[in-house]
Amino acid sequence: MKVSPSILSADFANLAAECEKVIEAGADMLHIDVMDGVFVPNISLGLPVIKSLRKASDAFFDVHLMIQKPQLYAKQFCEAGADLVSFHVESDCDILRTIDIIKSCGKKAGLVIKPQTPTSRIYPYIDKVDLILVMSVEPGFGGQRFMPVAVDKIARVSGKARQLGLDNLMIEVDGGINDRSAVMCKYAGANVLVAGSYVFGSEDPARAIKKLKA
Ligand code: DX5
Ligand code: ZN
């Protein structure tokens, strides 16, 4: 089980130190949430922040784009320092073309699905991406409650991956992850857990990450 703390819950005035703190605490990567105020009703951070953070950290950057028209920006996110760029199946873009852009930059590509979107929407692309991200909250804000509908979605994605022999597919879950919801996600087949408030809100991030991995 890998853990990707979402920096949305970090102190943005001390971002580099916050990132280092969770990496030292055992995080496998950093989850970076990009919101445009159009695809989701919130605005977070963008290219300049990722570019600066890249200079300060060697960590694997797991970038989650919650933006409309990801096709227009995917290349710039790769160049800014993302190691993996995930975008939403519900966003306004040519999905195959967007995957292609990310891959031709030599980066990993991920496809994200919201809680109310049928899992079947991602099946045509499942063998073309490195990661499927199942949202377990409506995207836009940290600190929301885990939606159990995600458990079934993870199980379906995981079953489909097994059926197709996609042994290396990363199945990530994002939203409301804590030591309890993590257990359900693990048994359903998730292998990467995103956790924002649970890790950054903890007095002891190393212990929080260890609990998620257990
Ligand atoms: C929500 C973001 C999440 C969020 C998770 O739109 O994609 O990554 O930061 O935060 P928690 O773990 O607090 O639900
Ligand atoms: Zn996210």
Side-chain angles (χ1 to χ4, degrees):
M1 183 60 79
K2 291 197 156 66
V3 174
S4 188
S6 165
I7 65 167
L8 196 58
S9 295
D11 172 6
F12 277 15
N14 296 298
L15 207 43
E18 291 271 278
C19 290
E20 201 184 316
K21 176 179 85 180
V22 291
I23 289 293
E24 283 191 351
D28 299 281
M29 46 184 121
L30 294 174
H31 185 83
I32 304 178
D33 287 307
V34 177
M35 304 178 183
D36 66 351
V38 179
F39 184 75
V40 288
N42 197 7
I43 297 175
S44 55
L45 54 85
L47 290 160
V49 174
I50 296 177
K51 221 177 266 177
S52 295
L53 213 48
R54 182 74 289 170
K55 289 184 211 142
S57 172
D58 299 326
F60 185 95
F61 286 0
D62 160 25
V63 175
H64 174 191
L65 299 182
M66 284 162 273
I67 65 173
Q68 229 23 308
K69 304 195 188 305
Q71 184 175 343
L72 300 183
Y73 300 98
K75 186 163 184 245
Q76 291 179 66
F77 280 98
C78 291
E79 289 170 353
D83 294 292
L84 178 145
V85 177
S86 299
F87 62 98
H88 276 260
V89 71
E90 304 89 356
S91 67
D92 169 13
C93 72
D94 179 332
I95 293 175
L96 289 175
R97 180 76 195 110
T98 309
I99 293 170
D100 236 43
I101 292 170
I102 299 166
K103 295 237 170 177
S104 57
C105 291
K107 309 295 178 158
K108 291 193 184 335
L111 199 54
V112 195
I113 184 169
K114 296 205 280 184
Q116 309 299 353
T117 305
T119 316
S120 57
R121 283 273 298 274
I122 52 135
Y123 291 165
Y125 316 102
I126 192 169
D127 60 340
K128 296 174 178 65
V129 292
D130 302 283
L131 174 143
I132 298 291
L133 169 50
V134 175
M135 290 306 300
S136 40
V137 295
E138 278 303 325
F141 300 91
Q144 302 183 76
R145 191 193 291 265
F146 180 81
M147 294 169 72
V149 67
V151 177
D152 177 62
K153 282 198 145 64
I154 295 166
R156 285 169 194 263
V157 171
S158 160
K160 192 72 175 174
R162 214 172 317 121
Q163 185 192 330
L164 296 173
L166 304 171
D167 300 332
N168 296 323
L169 184 72
M170 289 183 272
I171 303 176
E172 182 177 55
V173 56
D174 181 9
I177 296 297
N178 55 35
D179 50 350
R180 280 157 290 131
S181 50
V183 178
M184 295 186 265
C185 296
K186 177 183 174 174
Y187 286 111
N191 49 32
V192 185
L193 300 171
V194 174
S197 46
Y198 182 71
V199 169
F200 281 99
S202 165
E203 303 238 304
D204 185 351
R207 187 157 167 269
I209 291 169
K210 208 181 259 171
K211 273 185 151 179
L212 292 179
K213 290 191 169 208

Short mmCIF file of all heavy atoms in Angstrom, two decimals, residues 20 39 58 132 166 208:
data_model
loop_
_atom_site.label_atom_id
_atom_site.label_comp_id
_atom_site.label_asym_id
_atom_site.label_seq_id
_atom_site.Cartn_x
_atom_site.Cartn_y
_atom_site.Cartn_z
N GLU A 20 8.51 18.10 2.78
CA GLU A 20 9.64 17.34 3.31
C GLU A 20 9.23 16.57 4.56
O GLU A 20 9.61 15.41 4.74
CB GLU A 20 10.78 18.31 3.64
CG GLU A 20 12.13 17.61 3.71
CD GLU A 20 13.23 18.58 4.14
OE1 GLU A 20 13.25 19.71 3.62
OE2 GLU A 20 14.03 18.19 5.00
N PHE A 39 -14.16 23.53 -13.29
CA PHE A 39 -14.49 22.10 -13.18
C PHE A 39 -14.98 21.77 -11.78
O PHE A 39 -15.84 20.90 -11.59
CB PHE A 39 -13.27 21.24 -13.55
CG PHE A 39 -13.58 19.76 -13.56
CD1 PHE A 39 -14.30 19.20 -14.60
CD2 PHE A 39 -13.18 18.96 -12.50
CE1 PHE A 39 -14.62 17.84 -14.60
CE2 PHE A 39 -13.48 17.60 -12.49
CZ PHE A 39 -14.21 17.04 -13.54
N ASP A 58 12.66 16.11 -4.34
CA ASP A 58 12.87 15.02 -5.31
C ASP A 58 11.70 14.05 -5.31
O ASP A 58 11.74 13.02 -5.98
CB ASP A 58 14.12 14.21 -4.93
CG ASP A 58 15.37 15.06 -4.95
OD1 ASP A 58 15.42 15.96 -5.80
OD2 ASP A 58 16.27 14.81 -4.12
N ILE A 132 -5.70 4.57 -12.18
CA ILE A 132 -7.10 5.00 -12.11
C ILE A 132 -7.30 5.57 -10.72
O ILE A 132 -6.96 4.93 -9.72
CB ILE A 132 -8.09 3.83 -12.35
CG1 ILE A 132 -7.93 3.21 -13.73
CG2 ILE A 132 -9.53 4.29 -12.10
CD1 ILE A 132 -8.35 4.06 -14.91
N LEU A 166 -3.89 -6.52 -16.07
CA LEU A 166 -3.16 -5.26 -15.86
C LEU A 166 -2.58 -5.25 -14.43
O LEU A 166 -3.04 -4.51 -13.56
CB LEU A 166 -4.09 -4.07 -16.07
CG LEU A 166 -4.80 -4.00 -17.42
CD1 LEU A 166 -5.85 -2.91 -17.44
CD2 LEU A 166 -3.77 -3.78 -18.54
N ALA A 208 0.42 8.36 11.44
CA ALA A 208 -0.76 8.35 10.56
C ALA A 208 -0.47 7.57 9.28
O ALA A 208 -1.26 6.74 8.83
CB ALA A 208 -1.18 9.78 10.24
#
